[in-house]
Amino acid sequence: MSADFTPTLVFLKIGALCFGGGYAAVQLAQAETVEHYHWLSMNEFSQMEAIAEMTPGPIALNIASFVGTKLGGWSGAVATTLAIIAVPCLITLILAHLYQKYGNMPAVSAVLNGIKPAVLGMLASVSLSFTLLAMQPLPYSTSAELIKKFNYLAIPAILLAVILLQRRTLGSIGLICLCGSLALIFRLCVGV
């Protein structure tokens, strides 16, 4: 019996390339798990991402654990979880040492300021992907069917979430509970 190390290697690569934090890793994880290896459908990935977002811990770690569990049970979860944190832990230790030593140099500040827009672009790309997915539930086959399935309630829900978070009216846990409750109420009462 041979073990398939592909998921572990994939998450080792994602961990090594997810500069910008966990949300940057979401884009890479989606590309690998949905588009390249077809381990998950886009619908499964979006549901898994929603669960990973609302559970404690870094989102990239939660995604790795979920995919590892689906593909290899507990041992798969342990392997992908360790894989996604191995390279970042090593890089962080090295960079912390270097930053302590050279952090006040103008060249270091310039590099760090140059990285910020790229990270913002990655976050915007992930946000756009999930916004479109929230408005157009999968699967769909024809444009007429797409129009019937278009989730018109997603637009005000997204706007409400942004406003509540920006005004710090409601924290992320409260927002998740509110939106989940509202969706359940609409489903039960209106059938949306």
Side-chain angles (χ1 to χ4, degrees), residues 57-81:
I59 190 167
L61 193 67
N62 294 344
I63 289 171
S65 299
F66 179 87
V67 174
T69 301
K70 181 176 183 199
L71 299 176
W74 284 100
S75 61
V78 170
T80 55
T81 300

Side-chain angles (χ1 to χ4, degrees), residues 128-146:
L128 180 62
S129 295
F130 284 109
T131 300
L132 293 174
L133 189 64
M135 290 189 280
Q136 300 174 1
L138 297 176
Y140 59 87
S141 56
T142 65
S143 58
E145 193 174 323
L146 173 63

Side-chain angles (χ1 to χ4, degrees), residues 83-155:
I84 201 162
I85 65 170
V87 175
C89 284
L90 181 62
I91 291 172
T92 301
L93 288 171
I94 293 168
L95 289 178
H97 174 72
L98 293 174
Y99 187 75
Q100 260 185 333
K101 207 169 185 178
Y102 305 109
N104 57 356
M105 294 176 65
V108 173
S109 294
V111 168
L112 293 176
N113 285 333
I115 291 172
K116 289 177 187 177
V119 172
L120 181 61
M122 289 188 287
L123 292 174
S125 177
V126 169
S127 297
L128 180 62
S129 295
F130 284 109
T131 300
L132 293 174
L133 189 64
M135 290 189 280
Q136 300 174 1
L138 297 176
Y140 59 87
S141 56
T142 65
S143 58
E145 193 174 323
L146 173 63
I147 291 169
K148 282 197 284 186
K149 287 188 172 188
F150 187 83
N151 186 355
Y152 294 99
L153 294 175
I155 296 169

